[in-house]
Every structure is written in structure tokens, then in C-alpha cells.
């Protein structure tokens, strides 16, 4: 079945787009026209080629009013007959020019006669060299009346060119496409099915509007009751194809709870990352180009406050924070600080001696969960010896658990330890038997120093 396909592709520069509004960049539109033999097939009161030429000519004329738009024309399938099976039949007929070249395009359109095959993939590959090297929004409008006929993979090429920032988003328009063939076209880009000439004309106008019209977004960060109360969070608009960052904004909300409007290029496919702890990602944003869009992302937060009463000999004591049941470190939070987390449950490993493990610590919407641990005491070993020793905790049943080793070259240390019962096990390096191991139990109390002397045995 004959098909009319429209592919619109736009690029932006590789650098991160600045937050402040800048003058609109130059837009370059390359028309890539299928002139294979099947384009002569009848379509309503005319044929497909005549309709395509007419609509393209009108579109080129309508673009003359834009100072920052340049146009060009590449054609394929028009130089060799179908019997030659020429899969490299493609040519840039009218290159880009700083001067208006719409008249040259209209004249060239009149001269084209459909003849050959449909090398979509190879023609797409060649368009990468058609655009000047300076920064601009490069747009391709590809028109074809059939699927790839040369065994290529236009979908893979489209994805590769997007990843290399040759273009940003493809738009596909098919005419009379059977449902079983639509997927072969929709994988190239956003797909439209134009059932008649009028629909095709409307789609062309719609795509031109999307290319050149301003698009704005507001982001509402929702709490657990779906109210837009969260704010002051960094939001990153990420190119969903390349993974590169396109925009960074810190969310703003005025005194009345209203968020501001941001201008973005709607022809980039976006994921929105809200940099909460952990992050929240809204995949594949569905933006309406040329309109104002409201994006709602659920990101309820509460606070975790780590506190230790009294002075701490640990110095900057911290805790490793993980999501409940996860082995991945989410944050390392220093005691004395507050940090916001998404509502939910977390596991904490507090870096005391011995470690303190807290499971299922809950963070609730707009609440502060304060975690307090008792101040440590200190173990002082005045003996200056060389040997092998360790400190263990003792529970009520007498089970000992390793805490730390003592330095082999000098046993004279002062260690901050949490309150509790402990055991010191030590053998001097000069001792000639295991039976000379010194074992002593002791107790650590908050804010107090306990001295344990190692005996020379």
C-alpha cells in the first residue's frame, strides 16, 4: 500500500541550555522528498507527487516571513528507474543559503519526475552532511509514499542520529497506512496517519507550528495529598534519547503557591528528574508544542534530623542512609544536620564505635523525625606496648562481638565508644605463648573516660 511519510527532526547544540531566556536560535529545515515511481499513484483528485509538491511549495512560501529560518531540498528516487534498483539515488538539490531560496525550491519541485526506489535509510544518513556546522535547530521533513525498499533500518539510523545530536525529535506522517505497517514507521518518531489531503495539509501546518512556536511549562511538585506544596528543589530536564542535560532549574513557588512558567524547546524528548533524596523521574513527558503545559510530579518529603546530646569526641559523626531493603548508599548525613527525604522508610548505619543500626526509620510528610543517640564515653589505654589486640562488645548473655583492632605498633590509644559493656583481648608481641593473652572486661559510660591498663604477661 502506498504511504505518505513525514519526518520532522530538529537539533540543538551540545552545550547545556542556560536558564535565562536567550534569543531564538536559527532553524534550518531540510525537505527530504521521495520521488520514487509510486509517487505517481492517484490520490483523490490528483496524484501523491503533485499533492506533495503543492503543499511543500505553500509551506516554503509561508516560512519566508521568518528571519531566523533557512530551507533546503534533498530528493531521492528521481535519478534512476526502478529497474536499476539504485539504493544510493539521493541528491541535495537546493542547499541551505543565508538568502531566501524558496523560489529555487519551488522551481526544483516543478522539475522532479518520480522514477525509482525508496532508499529512506541511506538518504537519512546523507542528511547529516547537509547542515552547516554552526549551531542551529536542524529540521528534516521527510516525505515518502512507501516503506524502506533497500533493506536498510531507518529506525536505527534515526535513533543513532538523535544520539549524535544530528536531530532531536522525528515526526512521522503516513497516508493510508495499513495498521500492520504503522509500527514500522512509528519507531522512527512521532507518528501521524493522514487519511486524506486535508489531513495531510493540517499535519504539515501543525508540525511547522510546533517547530517555530514558543512552548512553556509549569512544574507542580505534589505532596501525599496531591497538593502542589513542595518547592525549592532542583529540576533537571534530560534529553530522553541522549541522556544529556538540557535544562537545570531550581523550582520556584510564590507566596500564593503559584509556580512560574519556563520556556523550553518542545522538540526535544524529555525525562524530568526531580532531585529529591532519592530522585523522582517522570519519564517521556508528553508536551504539547506551542502551548502551556503543566507537569505534575508526586514528590512528598519529610525531614530526618540526626542529633547527639552533649559534646562528641567522634568529631563529624555521620550516618549512612539507605532506602529500606536496599544495599545502595543513598546519602551520608552528618549529625547536627537536617536533610529532606521522600516519605517512606529508611535504614541507617550510624558510624559510631560500635556501629548503630536502625531499621525502618520512617519519614512522614512535612514532619521531622529526630534521631538521637547517647553521647559516647572514652576508652583510654595508657600502656605503650606492641602486640595484637581487639575490643569487643558484650551482651547480657555474654556474647562478644568485634568492634575494632588496636594498633600493633603502639597500644596507647583513646577510643570513643558508645555506652555499654566491653571486653579487651590482647597479647604482647614478645609473648611466646597464647596463654599469655590478657582479657579484661570494662564498662563505658556517656561522657566518662574508662582507663584499662594492659598487663605485661
Amino acid at each position: 500500500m502506498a504511504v505518505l511519510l513525514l519526518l520532522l527532526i530538529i537539533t540543538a547544540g551540545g552545550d547545556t541550555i542556560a536558564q535565562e531566556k536567550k534569543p531564538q536560535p536559527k532553524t534550518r529545515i531540510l525537505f527530504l522528498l521521495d520521488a520514487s515511481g509510486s509517487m505517481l499513484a492517484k490520490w483523490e483528485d490528483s496524484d501523491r507527487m503533485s499533492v506533495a509538491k503543492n503543499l511543500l511549495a505553500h509551506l516554503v512560501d509561508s516560512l519566508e516571513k521568518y528571519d531566523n529560518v533557512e530551507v533546503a531540498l534533498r530528493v531521492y528516487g528521481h535519478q534512476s528507474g526502478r529497474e536499476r534498483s539504485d539504493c544510493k539515488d539521493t541528491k541535495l538539490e537546493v542547499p541551505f543559503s543565508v538568502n531566501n531560496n524558496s523560489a529555487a525550491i519551488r522551481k526544483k519541485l516543478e522539475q522532479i519526475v518520480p522514477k525509482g526506489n525508496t532508499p529512506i535509510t541511506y538518504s537519512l544518513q546523507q542528511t547529516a552532511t547537509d547542515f552547516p556546522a554552526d549551531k542551529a535547530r536542524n529540521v528534516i521533513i521527510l516525505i515518502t509514499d512507501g516503506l524502506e525498499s533497500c533493506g536498510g533500518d531507518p529506525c536505527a539510523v534515526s535513533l543513532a542520529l538523535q544520539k549524535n545530536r544530528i536531530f532531536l525529535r522525528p515526526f512521522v506522517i503516513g497516508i493510508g497506512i495499513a495498521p500492520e505497517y504503522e509500527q514500522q514507521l512509528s519507531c522512527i518518531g512521532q507518528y501521524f496517519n493522514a487519511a486524506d489531503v486535508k489531513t495531510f495539509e493540517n499535519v504539515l501546518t501543525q508540525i511547522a507550528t510546533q517547530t517555530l512556536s514558543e512552548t512553556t511549562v509549569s512544574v507542580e511538585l505534589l505532596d501525599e495529598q496531591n497538593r502542589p506544596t513542595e518547592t525549592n528543589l532542583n529540576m533537571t530536564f534530560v534529553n530522553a534519547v541522549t541522556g544529556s542535560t538540557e535544562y537545570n532549574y531550581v523550582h520556584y513557588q510564590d507566596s500564593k503557591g503559584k509556580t512560574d512558567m519556563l520556556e523550553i524547546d518542545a522538540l526535544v524528548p524529555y525525562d524530568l528528574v526531580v532531585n529529591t533524596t532519592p530522585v523522582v523521574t517522570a519519564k517521556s513527558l508528553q508536551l504539547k508544542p506551542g502551548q502551556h503545559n503543566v507537569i505534575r510530579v508526586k514528590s512528598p518529603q519529610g525531614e530526618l534530623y540526626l542529633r547527639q546530646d552533649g559534646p562528641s569526641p567522634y568529631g563529624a559523626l555521620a550516618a549512612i542512609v539507605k532506602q529500606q531493603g536496599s544495599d545502595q548508599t543513598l546519602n551520608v548525613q552528618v549529625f547536627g544536620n537536617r536533610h529532606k527525604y521522600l516519605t517512606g522508610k529508611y535504614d541507617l548505619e550510624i558510624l559510631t564505635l560500635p556501629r548503630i543500626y536502625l531499621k525502618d526509620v520512617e519519614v512522614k510528610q512535612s514532619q521531622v523525625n529526630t534521631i538521637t543517640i547517647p553521647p559516647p564515653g572514652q576508652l583510654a589505654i595508657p600502656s605503650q606496648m606492641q602486640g595484637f589486640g581487639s575490643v569487643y562488645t558484650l551482651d547480657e548473655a555474654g556474647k562478644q562481638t568485634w568492634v575494632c583492632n588496636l594498633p600493633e605498633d603502639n597500644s596507647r590509644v583513646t577510643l570513643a565508644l558508645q555506652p555499654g559493656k566491653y571486653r579487651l583481648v590482647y597479647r604482647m608481641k614478645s609473648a611466646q605463648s597464647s596463654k599469655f593473652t590478657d582479657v579484661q572486661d570494662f564498662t563505658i559510660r556517656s561522657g566518662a573516660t574508662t582507663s584499662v591498663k594492659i598487663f605485661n604477661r
Side-chain angles (χ1 to χ4, degrees):
M1 177 180 293
V3 179
L4 182 63
L5 170 68
L6 175 68
L7 172 62
L8 173 65
I9 309 168
I10 297 182
T11 66
D15 297 336
T16 300
I17 301 173
Q19 296 179 12
E20 67 272 10
K21 186 175 180 179
K22 289 186 175 181
Q24 290 296 320
K26 183 184 296 292
T27 297
R28 292 192 173 101
I29 302 175
L30 173 65
F31 297 102
L32 180 55
L33 177 62
D34 180 355
S36 61
S38 58
M39 286 290 284
L40 292 173
K42 182 176 176 59
W43 189 21
E44 295 186 5
D45 296 332
S46 184
D47 59 74
R48 295 176 186 133
M49 193 63 181
S50 296
V51 171
K53 288 180 177 181
N54 182 56
L55 292 178
L56 281 183
H58 281 87
L59 181 57
V60 168
D61 287 341
S62 69
L63 296 175
E64 289 184 358
K65 62 183 179 181
Y66 296 97
D67 294 333
N68 62 337
V69 175
E70 295 179 9
V71 292
L73 175 67
R74 173 179 282 273
V75 184
Y76 63 83
H78 65 305
Q79 300 177 102
S80 302
R82 182 169 294 179
E83 69 281 356
R84 294 183 58 183
S85 298
D86 187 354
C87 288
K88 293 186 177 181
D89 181 0
T90 182
K91 182 181 179 182
L92 180 63
E93 295 287 0
V94 182
F96 287 105
S97 172
V98 293
N99 301 317
N100 188 295
N101 57 359
S102 58
I105 291 178
R106 291 195 303 270
K107 182 177 180 180
K108 180 56 66 174
L109 287 173
E110 294 174 357
Q111 300 170 359
I112 294 170
V113 178
K115 293 180 180 179
N117 291 326
T118 312
I120 299 176
T121 303
Y122 182 75
S123 297
L124 280 175
Q125 290 172 334
Q126 300 311 300
T127 64
T129 62
D130 292 343
F131 298 96
D134 60 329
K135 290 183 179 181
R137 301 170 74 241
N138 297 333
V139 179
I140 297 177
I141 299 180
L142 167 64
I143 302 174
T144 181
D145 76 334
L147 303 178
E148 169 68 44
S149 65
C150 290
D153 188 346
C155 298
V157 169
S158 175
L159 180 61
L161 293 176
Q162 289 179 75
K163 287 184 176 180
N164 287 323
R165 302 189 71 89
I166 303 302
F167 54 79
L168 297 180
R169 173 183 289 182
F171 293 88
V172 180
I173 298 177
I175 293 178
I177 303 296
E180 60 266 29
Y181 297 122
E182 288 185 356
Q183 189 171 357
Q184 298 182 42
L185 301 178
S186 62
C187 63
I188 298 175
Q190 185 176 347
Y191 177 75
F192 300 89
N193 187 1
D196 51 45
V197 174
K198 185 61 178 177
T199 302
F200 177 54
E201 182 179 9
N202 292 338
V203 171
L204 281 174
T205 302
Q206 179 183 348
I207 292 176
T209 300
Q210 292 183 17
T211 305
L212 301 172
S213 297
E214 178 182 289
T215 301
T216 57
V217 298
S218 292
V219 180
E220 294 184 351
L221 304 178
L222 308 179
D223 60 20
E224 287 188 331
Q225 288 73 43
N226 291 319
R227 300 170 303 187
T229 60
E230 299 290 347
T231 189
N232 300 327
L233 289 165
N234 172 246
M235 307 177 299
T236 306
F237 287 83
V238 177
N239 188 311
V241 174
T242 66
S244 60
T245 296
E246 299 290 343
Y247 302 90
N248 266 309
Y249 294 108
V250 176
H251 188 268
Y252 172 78
Q253 194 175 66
D254 65 19
S255 59
K256 297 180 180 179
K258 185 177 180 181
T259 58
D260 54 356
M261 293 194 306
L262 307 171
E263 182 181 349
I264 65 174
D265 189 341
L267 294 176
V268 179
Y270 295 108
D271 295 332
L272 175 61
V273 178
V274 181
N275 291 283
T276 49
T277 308
V279 300
V280 176
T281 302
K283 292 281 190 179
S284 303
L285 299 182
Q286 300 299 312
L287 300 181
K288 295 180 179 179
Q291 301 181 31
H292 179 65
N293 300 263
V294 178
I295 304 169
R296 295 179 174 87
V297 182
K298 197 160 187 177
S299 49
Q301 295 183 104
E303 271 190 341
L304 189 61
Y305 175 34
L306 304 184
R307 191 183 74 184
Q308 184 174 15
D309 295 331
S312 173
Y314 290 121
L317 178 63
I320 296 173
V321 182
K322 302 177 181 180
Q323 284 186 278
Q324 184 186 46
S326 173
D327 292 331
Q328 184 175 356
T329 297
L330 182 63
N331 186 32
V332 177
Q333 184 173 342
V334 177
F335 268 70
N337 293 342
R338 301 169 183 260
H339 190 87
K340 287 186 176 182
Y341 296 87
L342 287 181
T343 57
K345 292 186 177 181
Y346 298 86
D347 297 333
L348 273 62
E349 179 183 354
I350 303 175
L351 303 180
T352 53
L353 283 179
R355 298 287 191 263
I356 297 175
Y357 296 92
L358 300 178
K359 300 290 185 181
D360 303 335
V361 175
E362 188 169 9
V363 175
K364 297 182 179 181
Q365 172 74 53
S366 303
Q367 295 185 25
V368 179
N369 187 347
T370 301
I371 304 296
T372 304
I373 64 171
Q378 294 192 85
L379 166 64
I381 301 178
S383 310
Q384 187 169 337
M385 300 180 179
Q386 293 184 345
F388 312 95
S390 302
V391 177
Y392 301 84
T393 59
L394 288 176
D395 63 15
E396 296 299 328
K399 177 184 176 181
Q400 69 181 41
T401 303
W402 177 85
V403 175
C404 66
N405 294 331
L406 297 181
E408 294 182 15
D409 59 345
N410 189 351
S411 63
R412 187 174 184 176
V413 295
T414 300
L415 294 175
L417 297 172
Q418 288 302 114
K421 295 182 179 180
Y422 293 85
R423 174 172 289 164
L424 173 64
V425 179
Y426 191 86
R427 179 180 65 80
M428 293 179 57
K429 185 180 291 187
S430 59
Q432 300 299 307
S433 175
S434 297
K435 67 181 180 181
F436 297 118
T437 299
D438 184 20
V439 179
Q440 298 186 58
D441 294 346
F442 59 95
T443 300
I444 294 293
R445 297 177 175 82
S446 290
T449 300
T450 299
S451 294
V452 176
K453 183 178 180 180
I454 298 175
F455 292 99
N456 188 355
R457 298 186 180 184

